[in-house]
Amino acid sequence: MPRPQLLCRPAAGPDEAALHHRIRHEVFVLEQEVFAASDLDAHDASDDTIKVLAWAAAPLTGWEPGGAVRLYPLEPGIWQGDRLAVLAPFRAWNLGGHLVRYAVDTAAALGGVEMVAHVQTANVRFFERLGWQRRGEEEIYVGLPHQLMSIDLTVRVGARLPARS
């Protein structure tokens, strides 16, 4: 099967914001059971939070939402990326990589100098391949082992990440 076209963009309007939350709920509440009932928190209500959706265009089905991530400023120049969620049928297409790159590029375009994320330990190598660095020791975050990671947003995008489609 040919690889689909992939597109990441901020959620447009309340319907897409609800879709963003539904994807996160499916991954973090139903599948991984990281959260008991909901993964929503105060960042979801903040106007500073950018909720991103990833779409895949399959030849027979058209555009389908397959993943989500959010990002928000922690302080001037420092951004946090979190709640990276990709639905199981879309994982083989590297939708997560596209979402991470989009979040990094968006934070950099908005004047960020660094982005941080609490990454589930099983996903640390994935983030390292995308140019992220470990910070400190493994820690418990939302009740599970995570690794704090960061990426320098001042490095030119082409120099930071290999070009991939």
Side-chain angles (χ1 to χ4, degrees), residues 4-76:
Q5 289 181 296
L6 303 176
L7 170 70
C8 295
R9 64 173 171 76
D15 289 344
E16 287 191 5
L19 182 57
H20 171 95
H21 295 300
R22 184 189 61 74
I23 290 169
R24 288 174 27 196
H25 183 83
E26 187 167 326
V27 172
F28 295 120
V29 177
L30 301 178
E31 178 186 335
Q32 296 181 1
E33 298 179 343
V34 174
F35 300 95
S38 173
D39 77 319
L40 299 178
D41 63 18
H43 295 292
D44 290 303
S46 172
D47 291 337
D48 290 338
T49 300
I50 301 170
K51 299 171 186 171
V52 179
L53 283 168
W55 301 82
L60 300 176
T61 58
W63 289 98
E64 295 181 54
V69 71
R70 70 178 184 182
L71 61 147
Y72 48 88
L74 294 174
E75 59 186 73

Side-chain angles (χ1 to χ4, degrees), residues 84-108:
L84 174 65
V86 177
L87 298 174
F90 299 90
R91 292 178 188 152
W93 296 336
N94 192 28
L95 209 55
H98 286 271
L99 281 161
V100 172
R101 287 184 189 97
Y102 185 88
V104 166
D105 292 344
T106 299

Side-chain angles (χ1 to χ4, degrees), residues 16 20 31 56 58 73 75 83 105 134 137 148 156 164:
E16 287 191 5
H20 171 95
E31 178 186 335
E75 59 186 73
R83 301 297 203 269
D105 292 344
R134 297 173 197 226
E137 298 298 317
L148 180 62
R156 193 172 52 82
R164 292 189 184 168

